[in-house]
């Protein structure tokens, strides 16, 4: 990190530093800055607002509030743009763009004169991208989320994106809802700006980042459209101004122990499977390796305590009213690394003690009377997933947690879409739907296609869940018995490529195993027969991504963005 502050920080190379400063000041004066301003430390604010991102629809108000806090703290705010990624507006999938956004954020921070930076994000990929970039840039950084949207109401029932979007869509496919009804429901599901109002990836990451210490205590759950969200923004600005004067670096906060706290919160929240990939990717930027065995150990020790959809019944606004993250931290207290330093400069334990007293609430369950037993998120291993596969038993059907079934295989997304509703498809409710070639490489960025639809002919018979298995991801808001992130993926020669319709697959969640009933020799012989596909005629970022993206167990980061791993969790 540079020892120069404010305008003197990171001067452009002309071979004459005094001239570089002279020129910079000359230009910034054109924006109306006086000499007093030019002597102050600078806090950058990453603006991730976009007309294509309703989850960040309160961005302008948040920026105004953070600026107020920064000015109150005696520093100068400097807003700069970055990419914005919304789940429904980033084709082929937002995950393809996460690493590009991380690079844009890293280089924007590294190249411009800021003494601290506020990372404003919210929608699923934005917070991971911001933290990956900031971790690599090595500048004091504080995270601010846009906050969850409020719950909607449809025909007397509280509803929320996107768990209920999927529930209603499944009902429409099984002809329980008419075309008019599904359209009408679509007007009620997203009633305000802000991130999905359930325990999807955005909410999971917000809780994890607060637990990790990169966000002000108590700041992860305030809804997007409330005055409290703006007060959080103002306080974030004020703290960023202090960080500009007295630096605390991301690497000092995001230690292996802090990641352990974050993983425990993800598990206890019944959080999104995507959070596992993102936390591994962020840790990887700091040279911290997190193994599948570690994730399983933490999952095995941590019960599901938060009663929010999809694992539970409530919404994020309910969790906020119940006290936000703090009651959960208190329930997990004996498992947490309380000495971890947070963005305030105080330890997590000190912040927990300084927080408000808890009050009666029914969202965060007691540790000894959990919503669900430990194992809400697990990593499976076996001859079908030598490097792991992820599953969320908390949102699965109990009778499928130990299941053998006949594989019904789809070779890719086009094949899935062409045949899933074919009346002649040979499929029964006990079969296992398998989707190949939807991973980081094969799927053009690992789309959220792992929530395979129930074949329409079975849905009409009342089938609401089947075991589904793929190298894709799924939305954190989804539910069902779904095995994801199979690694290595089919497109790079993983055993998934060898599965054929009619093979028998064995899933045993208690044993954390996923196996294809074939010998290793047979799997190897089939893989040797798989025709090598010609690389696509791509260019630019798509080519860089395809050639360097890592598999899910390493966070799907670009391999060259990860430094040497020097620590582990
Ligand atoms: Fe943005 Fe769900 S689509 S958080």
């Amino acid at each position: 990190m540079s020892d120069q502050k404010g305008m003197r920080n990171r001067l452009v190379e002309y071979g004459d530093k005094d001239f570089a400063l002279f020129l910079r000041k000359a230009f910034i004066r054109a924006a109306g800055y006086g000499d007093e301003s030019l002597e102050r430390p600078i806090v950058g604010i990453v603006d991730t607002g976009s007309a294509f991102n309703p989850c960040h629809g309160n961005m302008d108000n948040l920026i105004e509030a953070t600026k107020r806090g920064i000015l109150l703290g005696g520093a100068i705010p400097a807003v700069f743009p970055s990419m914005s990624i919304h789940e429904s507006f980033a084709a082929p999938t937002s995950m393809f763009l996460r690493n590009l956004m991380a690079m844009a954020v890293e280089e924007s921070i590294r190249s411009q004169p800021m003494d601290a930076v506020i990372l404003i994000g919210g929608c699923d990929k934005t917070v991971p991208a911001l933290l990956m970039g900031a971790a690599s840039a090595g500048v004091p950084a504080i995270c601010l989320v846009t906050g969850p949207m409020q719950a909607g109401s449809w025909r007397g029932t509280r509803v929320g994106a996107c768990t209920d979007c999927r529930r209603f869509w499944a009902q429409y496919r099984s002809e329980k809802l008419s075309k008019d009804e599904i359209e009408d429901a679509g007007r009620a599901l997203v009633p305000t700006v802000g991130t999905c109002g359930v325990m999807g990836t955005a909410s999971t990451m917000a809780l994890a980042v607060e637990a990790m210490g990169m966000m002000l205590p108590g700041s992860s759950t305030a809804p997007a459209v409330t005055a409290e969200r703006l007060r959080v923004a103002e306080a974030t600005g004020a703290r960023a101004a202090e960080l500009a004067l007295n630096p605390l670096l991301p690497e000092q906060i995001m230690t292996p122990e802090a990641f352990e706290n974050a993983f425990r919160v993800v598990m206890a929240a019944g959080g999104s499977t995507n959070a596992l990939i993102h936390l591994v990717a962020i840790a990887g930027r700091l040279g911290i390796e997190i193994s599948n065995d570690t994730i399983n150990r933490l999952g095995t020790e941590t019960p599901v305590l938060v009663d929010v959809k999809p694992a539970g019944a409530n919404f994020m606004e309910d969790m906020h009213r119940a006290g936000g993250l703090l009651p959960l931290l208190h329930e997990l207290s004996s498992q947490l690394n309380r000495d971890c330093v947070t963005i305030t400069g105080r330890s997590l334990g000190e912040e927990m003690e300084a927080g408000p007293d808890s009050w009666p609430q029914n969202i965060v369950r007691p540790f000894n009377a959990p919503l669900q037993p430990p194992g809400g998120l697990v990593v499976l291993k076996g001859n079908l997933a030598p490097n792991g596969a992820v599953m969320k038993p908390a949102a699965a059907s109990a009778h499928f947690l130990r299941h053998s079934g006949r594989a019904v295989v789809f070779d890719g997304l086009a094949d899935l879409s062409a045949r899933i509703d074919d009346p002649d498809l040979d499929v029964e409710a006990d079969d296992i739907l398998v989707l190949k070639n939807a991973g980081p490489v094969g799927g053009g960025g690992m789309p959220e296609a792992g929530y395979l639809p129930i074949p329409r002919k079975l849905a009409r018979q009342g089938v609401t869940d089947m075991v589904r298995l793929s190298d894709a991801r799924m939305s954190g808001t989804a539910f069902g018995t779904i095995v994801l992130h199979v690694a290595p993926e089919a497109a790079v020669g993983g055993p998934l490529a060898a599965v054929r319709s009619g093979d028998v697959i064995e899933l045993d969640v208690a044993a954390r195993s996923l196996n294809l009933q074939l010998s290793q020799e047979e799997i190897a012989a089939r893989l040797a027969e798989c025709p090598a596909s010609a690389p696509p005629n791509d260019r630019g970022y798509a080519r860089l991504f395809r050639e360097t993206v890592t598999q899910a167990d390493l966070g799907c980061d670009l391999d060259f963005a990860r430094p040497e791993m020097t620590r582990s969790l």
Side-chain angles (χ1 to χ4, degrees), residues 1 5 11 51 106 128 144 147 176 185 189 211 258 318 331 335 355 365 382 409 415 425 446 454 457 496 516 560:
M1 199 187 151
K5 295 275 185 203
L11 290 166
E106 174 184 346
L144 170 67
K176 293 192 182 104
L189 284 162
D318 303 317
E331 290 301 329
Q335 294 191 328
R365 302 287 176 85
V409 177
D415 185 34
L425 181 68
M446 206 176 182
I454 303 295
K457 68 178 185 183
L496 184 63
L516 182 61
F560 60 84

Side-chain angles (χ1 to χ4, degrees), residues 104-186:
V105 169
E106 174 184 346
E107 299 307 333
S108 296
I109 295 173
R110 198 198 305 284
S111 61
Q112 299 178 109
M114 61 192 85
D115 304 297
V117 60
I118 298 174
L119 312 167
I120 310 183
C123 197
D124 295 14
K125 305 303 174 296
T126 59
V127 168
L130 288 163
L131 281 171
M132 289 163 71
S136 295
V139 168
I142 181 169
C143 198
L144 170 67
V145 290
T146 56
M149 66 179 70
Q150 294 191 301
S153 173
W154 190 64
R155 303 195 175 179
T157 305
R158 290 175 80 206
V159 294
C162 262
T163 301
D164 293 306
C165 314
R166 294 172 204 287
R167 184 167 63 84
F168 285 149
W169 192 252
Q171 290 176 5
Y172 171 61
R173 281 179 56 80
S174 61
E175 298 174 355
K176 293 192 182 104
L177 288 181
S178 68
K179 180 79 178 148
D180 285 349
E181 285 173 321
I182 190 72
E183 285 295 328
D184 194 40

Side-chain angles (χ1 to χ4, degrees), residues 487-552:
E489 65 179 306
V492 300
L496 184 63
V499 184
R500 294 175 185 166
S501 287
D503 290 345
V504 174
I505 293 173
E506 291 177 328
L507 167 68
D508 187 341
V509 175
R512 306 288 190 261
S513 69
L514 179 68
N515 285 294
L516 182 61
Q517 275 193 358
L518 283 182
S519 66
Q520 284 304 115
E521 293 72 28
E522 176 67 14
I523 292 173
R526 285 192 188 180
L527 289 177
E529 282 173 22
C530 289
S533 55
N537 184 21
D538 52 7
R539 52 163 295 285
Y541 176 68
R543 185 161 171 183
L544 181 72
F545 182 92
R546 177 177 56 78
E547 291 181 346
T548 64
V549 70
T550 61
Q551 292 291 292

Side-chain angles (χ1 to χ4, degrees), residues 55 86-87 123-124 195-196 202:
C55 297
H86 184 277
E87 292 302 293
C123 197
D124 295 14
T195 52
C196 286

Side-chain angles (χ1 to χ4, degrees), residues 31 51 73 89 107 172 234 307 322 327 338 345 371 418 420 476 480 511 538 552:
F89 286 91
E107 299 307 333
Y172 171 61
E234 184 185 278
D307 188 355
R338 295 166 57 104
L371 184 72
I420 189 73
D538 52 7

Side-chain angles (χ1 to χ4, degrees), residues 259-561:
F259 278 101
E260 181 172 329
N261 290 342
F263 272 101
R264 287 204 187 275
V265 162
V266 169
M267 305 290 182
S272 165
T273 46
N274 286 318
L276 305 186
I277 290 184
H278 296 320
L279 288 173
V280 167
I282 298 165
R285 290 299 182 101
L286 295 165
I288 300 171
E289 196 168 34
I290 299 173
S291 71
N292 285 333
D293 289 344
T294 298
I295 294 173
N296 263 342
R297 175 179 62 78
L298 297 174
T300 302
E301 294 169 357
T302 314
V304 180
L305 301 180
V306 178
D307 188 355
V308 167
K309 291 184 175 200
N314 299 287
F315 297 86
M316 286 307 293
E317 63 182 19
D318 303 317
M319 184 170 183
H320 183 63
R321 283 193 207 103
L325 177 66
L326 188 60
L328 183 60
L329 293 178
H330 281 304
E331 290 301 329
L332 293 174
S333 183
S334 64
Q335 294 191 328
L336 295 176
N337 300 303
R338 295 166 57 104
D339 292 339
C340 289
V341 68
T342 74
I343 197 72
T344 63
R346 295 180 288 273
S347 71
L348 181 69
E350 287 171 330
E351 291 297 349
M352 287 167 61
E353 297 312 318
D357 292 340
S358 55
W359 54 87
Q361 52 85 29
N362 59 2
I363 304 297
V364 178
R365 302 287 176 85
F367 190 89
N368 295 328
L371 184 72
Q372 295 191 24
L377 283 175
V378 298
V379 180
L380 308 167
K381 273 200 174 177
N383 68 5
L384 196 44
N387 293 348
V390 166
M391 189 181 166
K392 187 175 183 178
S397 300
H399 63 281
F400 279 140
L401 295 182
R402 186 167 183 203
H403 182 71
S404 290
R406 188 182 63 137
V408 176
V409 177
F410 300 92
D411 278 330
L413 293 160
D415 185 34
L416 173 70
S417 135
R419 291 196 298 125
I420 189 73
D421 289 334
D422 184 341
D424 295 328
L425 181 68
D426 178 13
V427 64
E428 305 288 338
D430 283 348
D431 290 341
I432 296 180
L433 303 179
V434 177
L435 172 65
K436 302 179 182 177
N437 298 311
V441 174
M446 206 176 182
E448 290 188 338
Y451 181 75
L452 277 72
I454 303 295
R456 199 183 290 269
K457 68 178 185 183
L458 295 180
R460 283 191 187 124
Q461 295 166 18
V463 175
T464 56
D465 192 16
M466 295 175 70
V467 179
R468 288 159 272 179
L469 185 155
S470 72
D471 44 16
R473 297 176 302 115
M474 78 169 179
S475 164
T477 62
F479 46 87
T481 313
I482 301 178
V483 180
L484 304 151
H485 309 183
V486 170
E489 65 179 306
V492 300
L496 184 63
V499 184
R500 294 175 185 166
S501 287
D503 290 345
V504 174
I505 293 173
E506 291 177 328
L507 167 68
D508 187 341
V509 175
R512 306 288 190 261
S513 69
L514 179 68
N515 285 294
L516 182 61
Q517 275 193 358
L518 283 182
S519 66
Q520 284 304 115
E521 293 72 28
E522 176 67 14
I523 292 173
R526 285 192 188 180
L527 289 177
E529 282 173 22
C530 289
S533 55
N537 184 21
D538 52 7
R539 52 163 295 285
Y541 176 68
R543 185 161 171 183
L544 181 72
F545 182 92
R546 177 177 56 78
E547 291 181 346
T548 64
V549 70
T550 61
Q551 292 291 292
D553 57 307
L554 297 181
C556 298
D557 200 359
L558 306 180
D559 57 11
F560 60 84

